[in-house]
Amino acid sequence: MRILCLFLLICFQVSAQQMTLKKGVVMDSLPVNDTINETYSLFLPMSFQSNGREKAVIFVLDTEGRGKAAAQLFKPAAEEQGYIIASSNNIDPDNSFEENVMVAARLMNAVTSNIPLDYDQISIAGFAEGARVASSLPAVFNNLHGVIAVGDHQVNYEYLDAKNRFVFVGMAGDEDFSGYGLRATAMQLESLKHPVAVYSFDGGHGWPKPEILSMGVSSLTLQAMKEGKRPKDQQLIENLYRRETGIANKLISTGDNMHAYNLMDVLQEKYDGLRNTSEIKTRQKQLSRSRNFSEEQREFSRVQEKEARLMEDFIYYLNEDVATENFENLGWWNYQKRQLDELASGANEQEADMAKRILGMLKELSKNKITELASLDEATLESKLLANMIQTIFDQENFKAYKDIISLSAQDRDYSTSLFYLEEMLKNGFDDMEALYDLEGTLALKMTPEYNWLVRKYLGSSKYYDVPVE
């Protein structure tokens, strides 16, 4: 893959496009090149000069290809800290991982060929599938400055070049189970001498607010200053320091002591060597002597132990049930979903966050199990069917899982199961009638009055047996 990406770089540099560049606004739907139907959004800070000093750049990969929206999130930090933002409109979770990597590579090569960039300060940020792509690219492109991975990651240690360190910034909501993996990866990279920072924010599986993203970007900026990749700007350092310690103090004032303490750990490392950090150390000592902090720590440890136990059990039971094709336990999984939903809406904030993380883990785990079974020639129809059924319990809008159940059960001539999941899918908002008549293995099923009656009931019409719904 490394050779292919370098070849693309040469090709795009030769065929550079001419663009009209605007500063201070996000320009959308810019073509990657004339031969591929791919576009991106671009933000140039007001300090950008086409014939001046080359600028640092952050390539942004959103999981749903929302280039403009993602670029807008980075805009305040980019303006303040002097970054170009180039955000893809074509990262797609339905693509293969390799296809998304090539989308990212084409974007990087196109922007590189058109805009004067500082090659020592090329970084990549991504969310979910985009984060997996972003964190894999240091193994493909040498000399990347940094990666901001939000809500997922995929670092391939085997292909990392020890001579080319990069900054790893992990970010996850406190309701997002991906935070555990991001922290574990950060520790591993830190042991390999890579600069790291992990930020937790209030929320679930999604992009954080611009002020939190700004802290991730400033980790890249300050490390670049430490490494001599950009001049030290004491005024910028001071502005960032005051704002970020202010965020930590605000967390303390709202009683979120654990997040505040952990953030101060990050800030102390981040500003070390650039300014005096004794203020942070003093604040941490004061906080550690607080009774509220001690109580919060004890509750956090209790919830962590409970979460680890539950996750271990759920992983075991899901694998066991699918392997043994145990359909009898579907009721048990529905019960667990209800229990977790109750915890997630409960008054205990730490347990509520725990429940949301576990629900996210089960959603991802069942999805991965479906992918695993699809790649195994020996996987049975029943095991695939059960994995998809569990998926719909934890992700009621995963219409692909419903369609697979309808298709698989129809092939097994279990039409009652097909019809049940057809109605559940329609109840949850599926409205593509053409797709309902194009499911593999459903020729006999889709000709039945019952199938068409359900389609007509929820979508207003059907292809066959166009009988009024009472």
Side-chain angles (χ1 to χ4, degrees), residues 267-308:
L267 298 182
Q268 190 169 307
E269 177 71 23
K270 181 172 172 176
Y271 287 93
D272 185 44
L274 295 173
R275 77 174 313 279
N276 189 301
T277 60
S278 59
E279 175 187 5
I280 297 176
K281 295 176 185 177
T282 300
R283 195 75 173 103
Q284 280 187 304
K285 286 180 182 178
Q286 293 171 342
L287 186 59
S288 65
R289 292 195 292 266
S290 155
R291 181 175 299 158
N292 288 339
F293 180 69
S294 298
E295 291 174 354
E296 195 175 333
Q297 270 191 316
R298 283 195 295 273
E299 177 65 7
F300 178 77
S301 296
R302 182 190 72 80
V303 171
Q304 263 201 325
E305 289 175 8
K306 180 178 180 179
E307 184 172 359

Side-chain angles (χ1 to χ4, degrees), residues 205-368:
H205 192 59
W207 286 106
K209 295 178 180 178
E211 69 173 7
I212 305 300
L213 278 177
S214 177
M215 288 199 287
V217 174
S218 70
S219 286
L220 304 179
T221 300
L222 298 178
Q223 188 62 34
M225 292 181 186
K226 289 181 182 182
E227 295 175 3
K229 294 180 177 180
R230 70 158 65 189
K232 289 185 180 178
D233 182 337
Q234 273 320 128
Q235 186 59 56
L236 177 59
I237 293 170
E238 194 63 23
N239 290 344
L240 293 170
Y241 177 84
R242 288 300 166 196
R243 183 166 66 246
E244 293 177 2
T245 53
I247 291 172
N249 288 331
K250 184 177 179 180
L251 289 170
I252 295 171
S253 70
T254 57
D256 199 350
N257 299 310
M258 288 288 294
H259 279 157
Y261 193 92
N262 293 337
L263 176 57
M264 286 189 283
D265 267 344
V266 174
L267 298 182
Q268 190 169 307
E269 177 71 23
K270 181 172 172 176
Y271 287 93
D272 185 44
L274 295 173
R275 77 174 313 279
N276 189 301
T277 60
S278 59
E279 175 187 5
I280 297 176
K281 295 176 185 177
T282 300
R283 195 75 173 103
Q284 280 187 304
K285 286 180 182 178
Q286 293 171 342
L287 186 59
S288 65
R289 292 195 292 266
S290 155
R291 181 175 299 158
N292 288 339
F293 180 69
S294 298
E295 291 174 354
E296 195 175 333
Q297 270 191 316
R298 283 195 295 273
E299 177 65 7
F300 178 77
S301 296
R302 182 190 72 80
V303 171
Q304 263 201 325
E305 289 175 8
K306 180 178 180 179
E307 184 172 359
R309 185 176 66 254
L310 286 172
M311 282 191 169
E312 184 178 355
D313 287 347
F314 284 136
I315 291 169
Y316 172 80
Y317 289 136
L318 190 144
N319 286 323
E320 179 73 8
D321 284 352
V322 172
T324 58
E325 302 165 6
N326 193 341
F327 289 87
E328 296 299 318
N329 278 339
L330 281 173
W332 183 85
W333 284 108
N334 274 297
Y335 174 75
Q336 299 306 317
K337 172 67 162 59
R338 291 194 298 273
Q339 293 291 99
L340 289 168
D341 283 341
E342 286 182 18
L343 271 180
S345 59
N348 186 317
E349 187 175 342
Q350 291 206 36
E351 286 209 336
D353 288 345
M354 174 201 73
K356 291 170 186 174
R357 289 192 294 269
I358 293 175
L359 285 166
M361 183 271 292
L362 287 168
K363 176 179 173 179
E364 191 67 19
L365 184 64
S366 54
K367 179 181 175 182
N368 291 341

Side-chain angles (χ1 to χ4, degrees), residues 99-252:
E99 287 172 332
N100 281 325
V101 167
M102 296 312 299
V103 168
R106 287 190 288 267
L107 168 65
M108 294 171 68
N109 293 329
V111 175
T112 300
S113 67
N114 282 281
I115 299 173
L117 302 178
D118 181 348
Y119 286 89
D120 289 328
Q121 292 191 75
I122 294 178
S123 299
I124 309 166
F127 164 61
E129 177 64 20
R132 294 179 66 238
V133 173
S135 54
S136 74
L137 289 177
V140 178
F141 292 101
N142 289 332
N143 301 317
L144 288 178
H145 176 58
V147 169
I148 299 177
V150 182
D152 207 344
H153 68 294
Q154 184 168 309
V155 175
N156 193 329
Y157 299 100
E158 183 180 355
Y159 294 105
L160 288 182
D161 189 335
K163 296 178 181 178
N164 294 301
R165 299 189 310 160
F166 66 96
V167 186
F168 179 80
V169 179
M171 310 187 94
D174 51 16
E175 301 169 6
D176 187 348
F177 78 99
S178 70
Y180 289 112
L182 287 167
R183 283 187 283 274
T185 292
M187 290 177 63
Q188 177 69 13
L189 287 171
E190 189 173 34
S191 72
L192 299 173
K193 309 303 181 184
H194 294 268
V196 302
V198 178
Y199 297 91
S200 178
F201 57 88
D202 186 19
H205 192 59
W207 286 106
K209 295 178 180 178
E211 69 173 7
I212 305 300
L213 278 177
S214 177
M215 288 199 287
V217 174
S218 70
S219 286
L220 304 179
T221 300
L222 298 178
Q223 188 62 34
M225 292 181 186
K226 289 181 182 182
E227 295 175 3
K229 294 180 177 180
R230 70 158 65 189
K232 289 185 180 178
D233 182 337
Q234 273 320 128
Q235 186 59 56
L236 177 59
I237 293 170
E238 194 63 23
N239 290 344
L240 293 170
Y241 177 84
R242 288 300 166 196
R243 183 166 66 246
E244 293 177 2
T245 53
I247 291 172
N249 288 331
K250 184 177 179 180
L251 289 170
I252 295 171

Side-chain angles (χ1 to χ4, degrees), residues 47-109:
S47 58
F48 173 80
Q49 297 293 334
S50 59
N51 58 352
R53 182 185 179 90
E54 292 86 357
K55 281 289 182 186
V57 62
I58 301 175
F59 293 97
V60 180
L61 311 175
D62 176 75
T63 191
E64 299 290 347
R66 300 164 294 195
K68 184 176 183 180
Q72 291 284 7
L73 291 173
F74 281 86
K75 179 180 172 181
E79 186 63 70
E80 179 185 36
Q81 300 177 49
Y83 284 89
I84 292 167
I85 302 296
S87 184
S88 176
N89 288 318
N90 299 101
I91 298 296
D92 189 336
D94 291 333
N95 288 346
S96 70
F97 177 75
E98 291 74 16
E99 287 172 332
N100 281 325
V101 167
M102 296 312 299
V103 168
R106 287 190 288 267
L107 168 65
M108 294 171 68
N109 293 329

Side-chain angles (χ1 to χ4, degrees), residues 426-464:
L426 291 167
K427 282 180 182 178
N428 283 297
F430 187 79
D431 60 2
D432 186 349
M433 188 168 75
E434 288 300 319
L436 295 177
Y437 290 91
D438 194 33
L439 296 176
E440 182 182 355
T442 62
L443 179 60
L445 172 66
K446 65 191 178 186
M447 298 296 292
T448 64
E450 294 83 0
Y451 191 91
N452 288 274
W453 188 88
L454 283 173
V455 172
R456 182 173 175 77
K457 176 181 176 181
Y458 288 94
L459 301 185
S461 63
S462 59
K463 279 199 172 185
Y464 312 109

